[in-house]
Amino acid sequence: MSEQQQQQQQDQQQPQQSITNEQLPLLQTVEELVEELRCSVIVVEEFQTPSQQLLYNKLNNIISLFEKIESNRHVFNDVEIPLEIFRVIDQSKNPDLYVKETLQNCLSANEKTKGKVESIRSFKNDLEKHIADSFPDEYKDYKSMLTQDNNNNDNNNS
């Protein structure tokens, strides 16, 4: 296994945390909200008249958590979330699995593209070799024109 493939496997196994200190409290608040919603569902599913005050307290807590999230939403203004993530969540699927699958598809497509690039480079080298063997004078002229062109481009970029 190549060093690059080993690095890719390590990167997949250890997801990088790009959460800033400013974002962490907001993420914790969202986690609190999710837990509070989960507990509220249980209270609603097993609702009895004596638990009405508990339900009110849960709802008030949910409202305050939403307000806290709303007041700190500027922290994530620069974050773009693909619409497909919301579709995955709406289907009650794990968005992390979607992201992992998408990343794997990108890596696979990247490997295919790398293979195509290598094939084209190999073809170019083989073609140049055959041209140089078959038409040595013309190939020298071609190489000298390339060298002149590269020198002109280097002078223009300076």
Side-chain angles (χ1 to χ4, degrees):
M1 186 180 296
S2 74
E3 193 173 305
Q4 186 180 15
Q5 289 172 329
Q6 289 174 347
Q7 181 63 37
Q8 285 176 347
Q9 279 186 341
Q10 287 174 355
D11 290 345
Q12 288 175 356
Q13 291 170 355
Q14 300 170 350
Q16 294 179 353
Q17 296 294 328
S18 60
I19 299 169
T20 65
N21 288 337
E22 190 179 48
Q23 295 171 336
L24 192 58
L26 185 57
L27 290 174
Q28 289 170 340
T29 303
V30 169
E31 289 174 358
E32 285 178 52
L33 176 63
V34 168
E35 181 60 24
E36 194 65 33
L37 287 167
R38 189 190 65 75
C39 292
S40 297
V41 167
I42 293 169
V43 170
V44 168
E45 286 176 347
E46 299 174 1
F47 184 77
Q48 295 175 359
T49 305
S51 63
Q52 188 161 356
Q53 186 59 42
L54 176 63
L55 181 60
Y56 286 150
N57 292 342
K58 294 270 180 216
L59 292 175
N60 286 331
N61 195 19
I62 289 170
I63 291 169
S64 67
L65 288 170
F66 271 122
E67 288 170 347
K68 190 174 176 183
I69 290 170
E70 179 65 26
S71 68
N72 291 312
R73 73 181 180 150
H74 67 278
V75 174
F76 285 97
N77 279 348
D78 61 336
V79 175
E80 293 183 28
I81 301 173
L83 286 176
E84 189 62 30
I85 292 288
F86 293 110
R87 289 187 190 108
V88 167
I89 292 170
D90 285 344
Q91 295 169 356
S92 299
K93 295 179 182 174
N94 186 343
D96 291 337
L97 295 177
Y98 169 78
V99 171
K100 180 181 177 184
E101 181 181 305
T102 302
L103 180 60
Q104 288 172 340
N105 290 342
C106 288
L107 289 173
S108 175
N110 186 32
E111 289 299 317
K112 287 179 183 176
T113 302
K114 282 182 185 178
K116 290 177 182 179
V117 168
E118 281 302 313
S119 295
I120 291 171
R121 282 188 183 137
S122 175
F123 176 72
K124 177 187 176 264
N125 292 339
D126 289 346
L127 185 60
E128 278 187 355
K129 183 178 177 255
H130 288 295
I131 290 173
D133 292 343
S134 300
F135 308 101
D137 295 333
E138 288 84 355
Y139 185 72
K140 285 179 188 175
D141 291 342
Y142 164 73
K143 280 301 203 181
S144 68
M145 286 190 313
L146 280 181
T147 306
Q148 284 178 341
D149 202 30
N150 285 339
N151 288 339
N152 289 340
N153 286 338
D154 289 342
N155 291 336
N156 290 339
N157 291 335
S158 296

